[in-house]
PDB file of all heavy atoms in Angstrom:
ATOM      1  N   ASN A 656     125.932  93.107 239.295  1.00  0.00           N
ATOM      2  CA  ASN A 656     125.641  93.907 238.112  1.00  0.00           C
ATOM      3  C   ASN A 656     124.626  93.178 237.239  1.00  0.00           C
ATOM      4  O   ASN A 656     124.745  91.973 237.003  1.00  0.00           O
ATOM      5  CB  ASN A 656     126.913  94.155 237.303  1.00  0.00           C
ATOM      6  CG  ASN A 656     127.922  94.986 238.064  1.00  0.00           C
ATOM      7  OD1 ASN A 656     127.567  95.727 238.966  1.00  0.00           O
ATOM      8  ND2 ASN A 656     129.189  94.850 237.710  1.00  0.00           N
ATOM      9  N   VAL A 657     123.658  93.897 236.751  1.00  0.00           N
ATOM     10  CA  VAL A 657     122.614  93.314 235.897  1.00  0.00           C
ATOM     11  C   VAL A 657     122.950  93.641 234.445  1.00  0.00           C
ATOM     12  O   VAL A 657     122.924  94.804 234.039  1.00  0.00           O
ATOM     13  CB  VAL A 657     121.230  93.880 236.258  1.00  0.00           C
ATOM     14  CG1 VAL A 657     120.154  93.281 235.350  1.00  0.00           C
ATOM     15  CG2 VAL A 657     120.904  93.593 237.726  1.00  0.00           C
ATOM     16  N   ILE A 658     123.279  92.609 233.668  1.00  0.00           N
ATOM     17  CA  ILE A 658     123.650  92.793 232.262  1.00  0.00           C
ATOM     18  C   ILE A 658     122.610  92.113 231.373  1.00  0.00           C
ATOM     19  O   ILE A 658     122.314  90.933 231.557  1.00  0.00           O
ATOM     20  CB  ILE A 658     125.034  92.181 231.957  1.00  0.00           C
ATOM     21  CG1 ILE A 658     126.113  92.761 232.865  1.00  0.00           C
ATOM     22  CG2 ILE A 658     125.384  92.387 230.485  1.00  0.00           C
ATOM     23  CD1 ILE A 658     126.465  94.193 232.564  1.00  0.00           C
ATOM     24  N   VAL A 659     122.070  92.850 230.433  1.00  0.00           N
ATOM     25  CA  VAL A 659     121.173  92.267 229.430  1.00  0.00           C
ATOM     26  C   VAL A 659     121.950  92.106 228.131  1.00  0.00           C
ATOM     27  O   VAL A 659     122.564  93.055 227.640  1.00  0.00           O
ATOM     28  CB  VAL A 659     119.934  93.147 229.200  1.00  0.00           C
ATOM     29  CG1 VAL A 659     119.105  92.602 228.030  1.00  0.00           C
ATOM     30  CG2 VAL A 659     119.077  93.202 230.455  1.00  0.00           C
ATOM     31  N   ALA A 660     121.942  90.907 227.597  1.00  0.00           N
ATOM     32  CA  ALA A 660     122.582  90.616 226.316  1.00  0.00           C
ATOM     33  C   ALA A 660     121.492  90.478 225.258  1.00  0.00           C
ATOM     34  O   ALA A 660     120.604  89.639 225.387  1.00  0.00           O
ATOM     35  CB  ALA A 660     123.397  89.330 226.409  1.00  0.00           C
ATOM     36  N   VAL A 661     121.533  91.335 224.257  1.00  0.00           N
ATOM     37  CA  VAL A 661     120.560  91.310 223.166  1.00  0.00           C
ATOM     38  C   VAL A 661     121.205  90.617 221.981  1.00  0.00           C
ATOM     39  O   VAL A 661     122.228  91.079 221.460  1.00  0.00           O
ATOM     40  CB  VAL A 661     120.138  92.746 222.779  1.00  0.00           C
ATOM     41  CG1 VAL A 661     119.099  92.711 221.663  1.00  0.00           C
ATOM     42  CG2 VAL A 661     119.603  93.503 223.988  1.00  0.00           C
ATOM     43  N   ARG A 662     120.629  89.513 221.540  1.00  0.00           N
ATOM     44  CA  ARG A 662     121.235  88.767 220.431  1.00  0.00           C
ATOM     45  C   ARG A 662     120.200  87.882 219.751  1.00  0.00           C
ATOM     46  O   ARG A 662     119.134  87.590 220.308  1.00  0.00           O
ATOM     47  CB  ARG A 662     122.396  87.905 220.932  1.00  0.00           C
ATOM     48  CG  ARG A 662     121.982  86.838 221.933  1.00  0.00           C
ATOM     49  CD  ARG A 662     123.137  85.922 222.273  1.00  0.00           C
ATOM     50  NE  ARG A 662     122.684  84.785 223.071  1.00  0.00           N
ATOM     51  CZ  ARG A 662     123.408  83.699 223.317  1.00  0.00           C
ATOM     52  NH1 ARG A 662     124.626  83.610 222.823  1.00  0.00           N
ATOM     53  NH2 ARG A 662     122.928  82.713 224.039  1.00  0.00           N
ATOM     54  N   SER A 663     120.521  87.423 218.556  1.00  0.00           N
ATOM     55  CA  SER A 663     119.650  86.528 217.801  1.00  0.00           C
ATOM     56  C   SER A 663     120.473  85.332 217.322  1.00  0.00           C
ATOM     57  O   SER A 663     121.625  85.156 217.720  1.00  0.00           O
ATOM     58  CB  SER A 663     119.016  87.262 216.618  1.00  0.00           C
ATOM     59  OG  SER A 663     120.006  87.674 215.692  1.00  0.00           O
ATOM     60  N   THR A 664     119.869  84.526 216.461  1.00  0.00           N
ATOM     61  CA  THR A 664     120.528  83.284 216.034  1.00  0.00           C
ATOM     62  C   THR A 664     120.723  83.229 214.527  1.00  0.00           C
ATOM     63  O   THR A 664     120.652  82.162 213.919  1.00  0.00           O
ATOM     64  CB  THR A 664     119.680  82.070 216.472  1.00  0.00           C
ATOM     65  OG1 THR A 664     118.355  82.192 215.925  1.00  0.00           O
ATOM     66  CG2 THR A 664     119.573  81.993 217.987  1.00  0.00           C
TER      67      THR A 664
END
Side-chain angles (χ1 to χ4, degrees):
N656 296 336
V657 179
I658 303 289
V659 173
V661 181
R662 62 174 189 167
S663 64
T664 57

